[in-house]
Amino acid sequence: METITIVGGGIAGLALAAALDTSRFQVTVHEKRPELPTVGNALGMWPHAQRALARLGILDEARAVSPVLGSGSVRNAQGEPWVTVDAGGMFGISRIDLIRLLDEAVPATVRRVTDTVQAVPADGSLVVGADGVHSMVRRAAWGGATQARLTPYLALRGTLPTPVEPDEVGEYWGRGDLFGMAAARGGSFWYASYRSELGPYGIDPALVLEQARARFTNHAPAVRRTLAAATPEECLVQRLWTVPRLGSYVSGRRVLIGDAAHAMMPTLGRGACESLVDAVTLADLLNTLPENQALRAYNRQRRLRTRAVSVASSALGRIALADRAQPLRDRVLNLARRRNARAAVGSTSGG
């Protein structure tokens, strides 16, 4: 049998292990933290990610534990809506639930190893780097110039047992910061982002939560109420990192998927979705084509598409987290809102 070594047992690694043909491949997954996460954020599942979940046979189970996102608004800091977006059939699944379902979908024949891989395996197997933004596989095979880049931003995420009001769902854009709220199973999910010099590692959630309460003190009541109810034990805090543009996701018999290939700003909510699509695309190609053809096809199908998403995420991040340009951004969005309102009135009058 052909051998495949997957370095990293997160969303991308588990999805790949679940989708590979185990009658053809002997698969090993290396993961340094085999236990399921206890605190996690909600992940919006876009249609292409839902198709990947269906391919893995877990779409119905994912829907069963996830609320439909419905509609939400992008607002100013005081809560006045600029634009309302209907999410259609998108749903938001907890990272904890998603990893649990992916873990359960991995065949029992897949070998699991708990360790921290220090060097790219040289055992003759195809090596898949699914080891996240700080990927060892990427640095080893693509060079030190591809190491992760620290952004100026911090992300604070949490859950609450109380539901969010429908007219409060969405994002609140302030001056150099944003705050978001959405429905979650058994309550609600919230997140905040802004510039920070803390970290980049070992950041105390209690300290950040207190800083966030001070920073958002003049924001909408819903934002202040959510932060007042939040507890450090139910918070996840981290600095945001991205991966520089890669000329290829394939180097010899090494291939990157997920954040190892294209970690991006979270402003579009597409990181986990693209990881799922990476994994299913690579698995289906390896299952049906010779390895070299499969790797070329994977690189051709996924690199430019994920690059476009990454660029769009960065662009939206610059708008949402605008600092000195915040007054101009708000004037433009207020103008667009008034124009849309007049157009709607005119359409109704003419009907």
Side-chain angles (χ1 to χ4, degrees), residues 243-303:
V243 169
R245 180 178 181 178
L246 301 179
S248 175
Y249 291 169
V250 177
S251 177
R253 300 193 68 216
R254 283 85 171 116
V255 56
L256 302 175
I257 62 174
D259 281 352
H262 47 67
M264 63 188 71
M265 289 287 288
T267 40
L268 278 179
R270 292 279 291 272
C273 295
E274 299 305 324
S275 294
L276 288 168
V277 177
D278 283 353
V280 167
T281 300
L282 179 60
D284 286 345
L285 290 167
L286 288 170
N287 289 343
T288 56
L289 295 174
E291 180 184 297
N292 60 341
Q293 294 181 29
L295 295 180
R296 287 198 301 270
Y298 166 76
N299 191 56
R300 184 173 61 251
Q301 292 180 31
R302 296 300 299 153
R303 189 177 66 84

Side-chain angles (χ1 to χ4, degrees), residues 24 27 42 75 79 83 98 159 169 178 186 190 197 217 246 272 286 289 299 308 333 344 348:
R24 176 178 175 182
V27 181
R75 314 163 187 270
V83 60
L98 178 58
T159 57
V169 171
L178 67 82
W190 61 269
E197 295 182 356
T217 190
L246 301 179
L286 288 170
L289 295 174
N299 191 56
L333 290 173
T348 302

